[in-house]
């Protein structure tokens, strides 16, 4: 069977077919979940941490980083309800004068690359999200987060942590999907009735200590008792899994004593993702916040969601700084597509294929905007050299963005990446 | 091969708990003899030499003679003495073993197979040998082919001799000389064809096989029933069941078979069948119904006309679940109705409940039209049924494309129903540069080795399109592929519109079907794949792995025979495996040296899946790990811990994790803490004789008086209760003063002492943590009478028992079976 068919058949069946680096798990795709000793593994991951933030539903760039003000607030064809003259700047970045934009852009403009005028070529949620986060409009590609994790170290127990959004893996890495942050926090603090309350142990501290002593005595009895070879291996695996070196205890070390309990889901997601990264068991994460599909009452609904989104990203960066890993964290923010330039009859905005993305991370130039749209929020082609608007230039799509992101992440030449080639222009979008 | 180099060692069975494998009986405790060529075995008694082992039941005389009248005297070789092998059955080669050990391994594999294989230079000859990729019957198939060649003679001499002697035309030239080892082996093989069963081996194969397991102690009937009942039924065995099972093997099997009734069992079957078909992927929303073509089933979303929101959602859920699980439910139905298991493929009907019947637009008779669990057989218009093979969900779950052309489906059919992993055919490096042929899947040996197997079967499913719809192809099957067929048979044109049905008939007539169903039962019961034949003869463990595989194959074959004899009763396969050493091997087995290597993987030691642990929790504590009876199950909900605990979602996570990692250990730890917090106070709300965990103590039973002196009656009660807890929670039997009980007793006492001191100095309160308090009846939600509530713990005993219960619920013996 040739390689192409083998890979396809295997992928269709859910079998992992992955790089040589991870070949040990081809026959047992879940082997990577095992404890280090059980799988013969090893070193904590300490490379870059990739966080992909998904604004689910299709955000509106003209209320964010590609502002289109009006000169007449009564104009029925206006794109927004703010004046052109009110548009604000943070360095070279222009932003809409609404919601939490000012606080965010003033704080981060010198680290941000904004990519405007991205043509997703679709108005469908699934296909848009797929294109934005995998680089291909058609089905069948892993998300970039999955590709990053698979190339870095798919054997890590939470190599790819997902809280939603486009997170298909095509079998190249096991994804830990957790829409329920509460579940993970319960696992991080299994002996507490309330994970966020350190004084809520099921048993007293003394009882907990006595329990562990008794368990150790029992383990010693079991280890020394008669056992079939298989039983002995099974016992060793269990005892190792719950020993002091297991991953969850590492995760506990880096989780804050009190998980965030505000109504911004990105904050809890970020706490877990960064703690898992700090524990050396996570490489990439999908963070997800919804509520952007505002077909009615757009401004009142959408602008607060954008503010939630930006506050979430701000939280990621603050948390990264607090944990002294700012120089390791890469953040990519995107959404399914954009929203129609004009308001519909319900003061809502429908689906529009033109969108933007925001990127921050070590080595990514800040205070920079590439790509552009016209006054009607139509995409403008860009010159492949200087990236300025040029009608004879290249039309930006998520494919060009992903080519640039793959290059930035050092994935371009990797064997695994070559299984998922992207056709597009190689543009200096990230410098 | 030199007898002088063989050494003999004896292992006496250490345990009186010897039982035969399923269907077999052991009447003697003959010594198990290991014949060794070479050092390394601790049991060796004689001088060193050689490099391998032969394990045989030579009897107390220690003669080691093969006792045969045929065979090896003619070869000059010891029939038991292949230096690379460990003969785990006996020291005599019957006809089947002679073919495997001598004809196949020593001659055909070494001299012939390189050309005589499906893609070799002799692929068009009458002698085409298959490898283990063919599935569990590959040796039988090869034996049939070689026997057929051997029976053909020219001038009174078999072609099997003439060809390799090059005494007639043989493109492979001369491969043997008259009188050499291969010649002698072929000669003996032909003699055995003429005089079958003349080998002189003891004719009680079952007893010989049983002897091979004599070093494996078998666990008690109580433990066997405990594992079976908790997993299949979610309850513990009754004393009456244990008493009956202890009367003998037949009674044990009767009790096991009696477990295979009722909704809990059928629910368990649903889980294990879905582990194979993975169609639970379509359970969410209306995902399954959405896969049906609205032109074929215009009433598919009938529920949308229901005005009441709750009723509409419930109706949609019932309908979608029935459609999603149509193939799984069909398999369950075949068992439930005591039909031959072959019907999972040959059923000329589909299965619907009252809700999916409306989706499909059919109107069969139901006893209760509101019962989503009532399934009946129907014919869907225009669909030629063939059990699972005509299920739209099956075809959607294992889809095809214009270029894949059903090959993926073909591969899965081979895997599921024939025990054949066609992908192992491609387990060799392929030089892609060499693949330049026109239509390489037909013409290039690198490709055709797989495609000659996969493509004909793919063609039999031609009528099922990429969306799982029955859409016969007007243009027929692809002319650039092999014609539809199976094995060497081409599908007759009369079967063109019912290819799946034709295929089903072929599959169930194939011996591999029965064995593959036994393999499926093994996966269900043991939670792991059967052993595969080792492929690296250079490996240090090759001989041991080969012996282990051979033993397992023999047992599977024996169970498959019974399965077939019982008219393909799937319960027979399940009972067979549950009665076998693979399920029942005891940790008391005294394995050493060779036996330890051969039985390296025997026994349960299964890390319980989320579903099985959920059942065991209910069986032992009386309560599920849920906040309320209608609440979400922490262990089986994908929103909570199912995936973290190694379970599957049948979508992107399709393979269970069978060894715990840190995440899974943490789930178990939380379960043990939370369930002890909930169940200990609840247990104390009940009268002592109704309690599951604490029937021998009361909350006022403290081990010491105020002066620190033991209170003997209380101490005795506490120890007795610990004995009860070890038995109930872990299935272990101890006396009250056993060291195992001492650990738990010390834990109880020390926690209690700390608690009493803490209450005195007010560092601890009198009350139980609020979410451990038992103020309501869990099942009804009703408030308990004030006097029955357990929310205060002034003596600190409830909390001490909670710690002990956590200790037990987190134990290896609870988390594994």
């Amino acid at each position: 069977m040739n390689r192409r068919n083998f890979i396809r058949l295997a992928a269709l069946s859910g079998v992992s077919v992955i790089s040589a680096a991870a070949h040990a798990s081809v026959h047992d795709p879940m082997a990577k979940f095992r404890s280090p000793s059980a799988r013969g593994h090893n070193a904590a991951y300490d490379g870059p941490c990739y966080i992909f933030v998904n604004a689910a539903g299709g955000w509106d760039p003209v209320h964010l980083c590609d502002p289109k003000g009006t000169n007449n607030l009564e104009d029925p064809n206006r794109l927004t309800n703010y004046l052109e003259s009110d548009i604000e700047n943070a360095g070279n970045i222009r932003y809409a004068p609404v919601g939490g934009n000012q606080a965010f852009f003033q704080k981060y403009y010198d680290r941000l690359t904004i990519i405007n005028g991205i043509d997703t070529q679709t108005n469908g949620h699934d296909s848009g999200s797929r294109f934005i986060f995998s680089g291909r409009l058609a089905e069948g590609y892993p998300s970039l987060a999955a590709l990053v994790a698979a190339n870095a170290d798919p054997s890590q127990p939470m190599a790819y942590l997902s809280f939603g959004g486009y997170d298909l893996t095509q079998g190249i890495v096991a994804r830990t999907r957790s829409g329920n942050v509460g579940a993970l926090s319960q696992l991080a603090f299994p002996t507490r009735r309330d994970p966020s309350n350190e004084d809520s142990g099921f048993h007293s501290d003394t009882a907990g200590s006595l329990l562990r002593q008794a368990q150790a005595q029992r383990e010693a009895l079991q280890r020394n008792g008669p056992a079939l070879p298989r039983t002995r291996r099974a016992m060793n695996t269990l005892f190792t899994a719950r020993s002091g070196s297991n991953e969850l205890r590492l995760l506990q070390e880096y989780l804050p004593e009190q998980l965030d309990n505000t109504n911004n889901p990105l904050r809890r997601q970020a706490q877990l993702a960064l703690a898992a990264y700090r524990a050396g068991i996570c490489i990439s994460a999908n963070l997800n916040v919804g509520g952007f599909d505002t077909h009615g009452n757009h401004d009142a609904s959408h602008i607060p969601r954008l503010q939630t989104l930006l506050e979430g990203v701000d939280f990621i960066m603050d948390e990264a700084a607090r944990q002294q890993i700012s120089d390791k964290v890469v953040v990519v923010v995107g959404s399914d597509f954009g929203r129609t330039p004009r308001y519909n009859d319900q003061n809502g905005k429908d689906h529009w294929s033109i969108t933007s993305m925001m990127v921050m991370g070590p080595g990514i130039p800040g205070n920079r905007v590439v790509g552009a749209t016209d006054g009607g929020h139509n995409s403008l082609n860009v010159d492949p050299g200087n990236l300025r608007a040029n009608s004879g230039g290249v039309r930006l799509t998520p494919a060009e963005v992903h080519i640039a992101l793959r290059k930035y992440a050092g994935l371009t030449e990797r064997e695994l990446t070559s299984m998922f080639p992207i056709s597009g222009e190689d543009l200096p979008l990230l410098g | 091969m030199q007898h002088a180099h063989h050494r003999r060692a004896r292992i006496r069975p250490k345990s009186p708990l010897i039982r035969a494998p399923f269907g077999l009986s052991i009447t003697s405790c003959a010594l198990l003899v290991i014949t060794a060529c070479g050092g390394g075995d601790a049991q060796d008694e004689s001088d060193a030499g050689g490099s391998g082992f032969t394990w045989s039941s030579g009897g107390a005389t220690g003669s080691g003679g093969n006792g045969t009248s045929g065979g090896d005297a003619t070869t000059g070789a010891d029939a038991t003495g292949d230096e690379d092998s460990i003969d785990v059955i006996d020291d005599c080669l019957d006809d089947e073993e002679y073919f495997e050990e001598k004809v196949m391994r020593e001659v055909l594999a070494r001299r012939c197979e390189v050309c005589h294989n499906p893609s070799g230079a002799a692929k068009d000859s009458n002698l085409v040998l298959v490898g283990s990729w063919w599935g569990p019957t590959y040796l039988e198939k090869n034996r049939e082919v070689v026997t057929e060649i051997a029976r053909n003679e020219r001038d009174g001499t078999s072609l099997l001799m003439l060809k390799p002697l090059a005494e007639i035309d043989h493109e492979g030239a001369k491969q043997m000389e008259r009188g050499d080892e291969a010649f002698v082996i072929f000669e003996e093989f032909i003699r055995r064809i003429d005089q079958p069963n003349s080998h002189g081996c003891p004719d009680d194969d079952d007893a010989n096989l049983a002897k091979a397991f004599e070093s494996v102690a078998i666990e008690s009937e109580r433990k066997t029933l405990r594992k079976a009942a908790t997993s299949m039924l979610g309850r513990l065995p009754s004393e009456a069941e244990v008493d009956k099972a202890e009367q003998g093997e037949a009674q044990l099997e009767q009790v096991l078979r009696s477990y295979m009734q009722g909704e809990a069992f059928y629910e368990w079957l649903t889980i294990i069948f879905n582990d194979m078909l993975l169609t639970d992927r379509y359970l969410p929303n209306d995902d399954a119904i959405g896969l049906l073509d609205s032109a074929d089933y215009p009433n598919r979303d009938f529920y949308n006309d229901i005005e009441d929101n709750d009723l509409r959602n419930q109706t949609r859920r019932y309908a979608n679940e029935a459609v999603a699980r149509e193939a799984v439910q069909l398999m369950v139905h075949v068992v439930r109705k005591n039909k031959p298991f072959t019907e999972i493929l040959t059923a000329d009907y589909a299965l619907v409940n009252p809700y999916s019947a409306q989706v499909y637009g059919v109107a069969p008779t139901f006893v209760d039209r509101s019962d989503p669990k009532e399934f009946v057989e129907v014919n869907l218009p225009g669909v030629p049924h063939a059990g699972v093979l005509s299920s739209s969900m099956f075809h959607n779950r294992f889809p095809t494309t214009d270029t894949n052309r059903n090959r993926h489906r073909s591969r899965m059919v081979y895997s599921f129903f024939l025990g054949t992993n066609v992908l192992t055919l491609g387990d060799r490096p392929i030089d892609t540069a060499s693949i330049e042929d026109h239509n390489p899947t037909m013409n290039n040996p690198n490709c055709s080795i797989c495609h000659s197997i996969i493509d004909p079967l793919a063609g039999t499913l031609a009528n099922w399109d990429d969306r799982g719809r029955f859409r016969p192809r007007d243009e027929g099957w692809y002319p650039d592929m092999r014609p539809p067929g199976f094995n060497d048979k081409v599908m007759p044109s009369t079967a063109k519109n019912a290819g799946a049905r034709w295929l089903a008939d072929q599959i169930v007539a194939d011996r591999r079907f029965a064995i593959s169903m036994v393999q499926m039962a093994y996966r269900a019961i043991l939670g792991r794949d059967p052993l595969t034949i080792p492929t690296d003869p250079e490996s240090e463990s090759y001989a041991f792995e080969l012996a282990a595989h051979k033993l397992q194959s023999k047992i599977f074959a024996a169970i498959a025979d019974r399965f077939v004899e019982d008219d393909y009763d799937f319960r027979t396969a399940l009972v067979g495996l549950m009665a076998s050493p693979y399920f029942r091997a005891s940790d008391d087995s005294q394995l050493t040296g060779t036996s330890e290597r051969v039985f390296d993987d025997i026994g349960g030691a299964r890390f319980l899946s989320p579903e099985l642990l959920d059942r065991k929790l209910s069986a032992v504590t009386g309560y599920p790990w849920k906040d309320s009876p209608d609440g979400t199950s922490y262990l089986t909900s994908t929103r909570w811990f199912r995936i973290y605990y190694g379970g599957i979602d049948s979508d992107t996570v399709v393979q269970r994790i069978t060894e715990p990692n840190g995440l899974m250990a943490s789930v178990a730890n939380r379960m043990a803490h939370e369930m002890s917090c909930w169940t200990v106070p609840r247990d104390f709300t009940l009268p002592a004789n109704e309690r599951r965990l604490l029937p021998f103590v009361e909350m006022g039973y403290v081990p010491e008086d105020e002066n620190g002196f033991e209170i003997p009656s209380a101490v005795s009660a506490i120890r007795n209760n610990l004995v009860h807890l070890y038995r109930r929670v872990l299935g272990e039997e101890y006396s009250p003063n056993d060291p195992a009980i001492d650990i738990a007793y010390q834990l109880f006492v020390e926690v209690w002492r700390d608690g009493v001191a803490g209450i005195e100095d007010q560092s601890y309160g009198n009350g139980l943590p609020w979410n451990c308090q038992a103020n309501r009846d869990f099942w009804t939600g009703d408030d308990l009478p004030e006097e029955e509530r357990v929310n205060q713990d002034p003596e600190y005993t409830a909390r001490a028992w909670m710690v002990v219960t956590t200790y037990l619920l987190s134990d290896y013996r609870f988390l594994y079976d």
Side-chain angles (χ1 to χ4, degrees), chain A residues 82-126:
Chain A
Y82 58 83
L83 293 169
E84 179 74 17
S85 56
D86 287 341
I87 291 175
E88 296 173 356
N89 286 56
N92 296 322
I93 296 175
R94 298 174 74 235
Y95 60 88
V98 298
N101 288 356
Q102 184 182 48
F104 179 79
F105 287 108
Q106 292 298 341
K107 185 172 179 180
Y108 292 108
Y109 77 92
D110 61 344
R111 299 167 68 178
L112 272 168
T113 284
I114 304 290
I115 309 171
N116 286 331
I118 301 169
D119 185 357
T120 65
Q121 303 168 348
T122 180
N123 287 333
H125 288 292
D126 287 351

Side-chain angles (χ1 to χ4, degrees), chain B residues 27 172 351 475 502 525 643:
Chain B
T27 54
L351 217 58
E475 65 278 32
W502 180 86
I525 293 166
I643 304 303

Side-chain angles (χ1 to χ4, degrees), chain A residues 33 175 178 187 218 231 242, chain B residues 587 644 652 661 666 810-811:
Chain A
F33 274 129
R175 174 197 59 210
S178 180
L187 297 186
R218 169 80 172 163
T231 306
R242 66 186 184 196
Chain B
D587 283 319
Y644 292 139
T652 59
N661 56 31
S666 214
S810 61
D811 191 82

Side-chain angles (χ1 to χ4, degrees), chain B residues 517-802:
Chain B
M517 294 302 98
V518 174
Q519 291 176 336
M520 180 172 69
Y522 180 92
R523 290 188 191 95
I525 293 166
L526 276 301
R528 58 185 187 264
D529 285 327
L531 299 174
T532 54
I533 193 163
T535 55
D536 180 11
E538 304 303 317
S539 163
E540 178 270 339
S541 58
Y542 178 77
F544 302 106
E545 291 171 8
L546 195 64
H549 179 265
K550 184 174 179 179
L551 265 183
Q552 191 171 86
S553 299
K554 292 275 184 188
I555 295 288
F556 281 11
I559 295 172
D561 287 343
R562 276 279 297 272
F563 171 56
V564 175
E565 284 165 17
D566 284 357
D567 200 14
Y568 294 93
D569 183 347
F570 189 61
R571 291 182 181 87
T572 297
L574 294 171
V575 170
L577 284 162
M578 286 184 169
S580 79
Y582 294 103
F583 187 69
R584 299 191 62 198
S586 164
D587 283 319
D588 292 329
S589 301
Q590 305 269 326
L591 304 179
T592 53
T594 299
S595 63
E596 187 172 24
R597 300 291 300 273
V598 172
F599 293 121
D600 180 70
D601 198 51
I602 205 165
R606 174 186 191 175
F607 185 76
L608 294 175
S609 67
E611 294 88 347
L612 294 187
L613 184 60
D614 192 49
R615 285 176 166 228
K616 192 171 186 179
L617 261 180
S618 290
V620 167
T621 68
Y623 299 96
W625 191 16
K626 290 180 177 182
D627 292 316
S628 66
D630 297 327
T632 304
S633 163
Y634 285 107
L635 275 168
T636 61
S637 163
T638 51
R639 184 163 166 70
W640 284 94
F641 301 133
R642 182 157 104 192
I643 304 303
Y644 292 139
Y645 206 59
I648 62 172
D649 63 10
S650 302
D651 184 1
T652 59
V653 185
V654 296
Q655 189 156 346
R656 294 182 181 277
I657 306 175
T658 55
E659 293 178 350
N661 56 31
L663 272 169
M664 294 159 80
S666 214
V667 174
N669 198 15
R670 182 159 196 91
M671 175 278 296
H673 278 79
E674 193 149 54
M675 284 302 286
S676 64
C677 149
W678 290 350
T679 56
V680 165
R682 280 180 201 160
D683 218 42
F684 273 128
T685 66
L686 301 171
N689 62 356
E690 292 179 19
R691 292 181 200 156
R692 297 176 180 87
L693 303 176
L694 303 156
F696 296 104
V697 291
E698 299 296 340
M699 288 181 64
Y701 285 23
V702 296
E704 295 169 357
D705 64 20
E706 291 173 351
N707 298 315
F709 293 109
E710 275 195 354
I711 304 173
S713 59
V715 170
S716 174
I718 290 166
R719 283 189 175 270
N720 284 339
N721 205 86
L722 289 170
V723 169
H724 167 80
L725 278 172
Y726 270 87
R727 180 186 301 132
R728 184 169 184 93
V729 180
L730 306 181
E732 293 185 342
E733 300 287 338
Y734 295 109
S735 65
N737 294 311
D738 190 278
I741 300 294
D742 287 345
I743 295 175
Y745 180 75
Q746 281 308 118
L747 177 62
F748 176 86
V749 170
E750 288 177 30
V751 170
W752 171 79
R753 283 178 185 150
D754 174 69
V756 170
I759 288 175
E760 267 184 25
D761 68 17
Q762 298 188 334
S763 52
Y764 303 147
N766 279 334
L768 289 170
W770 69 268
N771 39 3
C772 302
Q773 295 179 4
N775 295 318
R776 292 181 177 179
D777 182 287
F778 173 79
W779 300 106
T780 65
D782 296 339
D783 285 342
L784 291 171
E786 193 65 44
E787 65 277 13
E788 290 180 13
R789 296 180 186 179
V790 175
N791 47 35
Q792 297 298 303
D793 184 27
E795 308 281 1
Y796 212 84
T797 51
R799 280 170 281 189
W801 282 114
M802 282 160 50

Side-chain angles (χ1 to χ4, degrees), chain A residues 331-397:
Chain A
V331 179
V332 179
V333 191
S335 184
D336 317 7
F337 36 63
R339 305 209 75 82
T340 43
R342 294 175 184 81
Y343 294 86
N344 62 26
D345 292 345
Q346 283 77 44
N347 276 327
K349 288 193 168 197
D350 301 315
H351 301 180
W352 184 245
S353 60
I354 309 304
T355 189
S356 300
M357 294 178 77
M358 304 194 297
V359 189
M360 277 190 282
I364 292 174
N367 194 19
R368 185 162 182 260
V369 180
V370 297
T373 56
D374 65 13
H377 200 220
N378 298 293
S379 180
L380 298 175
N381 291 0
V382 296
D383 184 285
N386 59 28
L387 300 179
R388 291 189 189 127
N390 178 341
S391 59
V394 175
R395 193 168 185 82
L396 273 184
T397 74

